[in-house]
Amino acid sequence: MSIPENLSYTKEHEWLNVADGVATVGITAFAGESLGDIVFVQLPAVGDTITAGQECGEIESTKSVSELFAPVSGEVVEINDAATDSPELVNSDPYDKGWLFRVKVDTMPELLDAQAYAALISEEG
């Protein structure tokens, strides 16, 4: 399973790519595989303020509905319409076309690197 080295991760199975104070957020391949076929994605709206650790959306699969938690605090500046229009992208291409939203970061909690995330999922596996 792919765990890109250049990304940061949360214990809730989200990935972040932070550049110039803006974090691109998605769910990991592990999360996508655990959820099964994703059929619906509800994301925060552009302009919403999200708080790290708080619910900010939902991901619905053929198996269940899961909350999406904000990995950082800040203002949502963009959502990925392709992911809401074609939720299967979150399964098929989680680290590229299946990203979920971008947020201008106000505060960022401590995140996991690729090695720490690999250790986390091996414990959960």
Side-chain angles (χ1 to χ4, degrees):
M1 178 176 327
S2 171
I3 303 175
E5 293 282 331
N6 63 315
L7 303 175
S8 297
Y9 300 89
T10 70
K11 292 178 181 175
E12 289 76 32
H13 306 291
E14 295 158 336
W15 61 263
L16 293 89
N17 185 6
V18 183
D20 299 324
V22 175
T24 301
V25 177
I27 66 167
T28 65
F30 177 83
E33 286 181 21
S34 298
L35 289 169
D37 293 334
I38 296 171
V39 296
F40 178 75
V41 177
Q42 176 191 344
L43 301 174
V46 171
D48 282 358
T49 299
I50 59 175
T51 303
Q54 300 297 309
E55 185 180 333
C56 67
E58 288 184 347
I59 297 179
E60 184 176 336
S61 71
T62 54
K63 292 182 185 178
S64 66
V65 176
S66 298
E67 286 94 15
L68 181 64
F69 293 95
V72 296
S73 296
E75 180 184 347
V76 176
V77 295
E78 185 178 358
I79 62 166
N80 184 359
D81 290 327
T84 56
D85 293 344
S86 302
E88 65 274 6
L89 284 174
V90 179
N91 286 114
S92 65
D93 197 1
Y95 301 112
D96 189 20
K97 293 182 179 132
W99 64 275
L100 299 175
F101 61 92
R102 291 191 171 112
V103 59
K104 183 178 178 198
V105 178
D106 288 338
T107 58
M108 186 167 359
E110 190 171 321
L111 300 169
L112 306 173
D113 63 15
Q115 290 79 18
Y117 184 70
L120 174 75
I121 62 174
S122 70
E123 291 171 11
E124 293 185 10

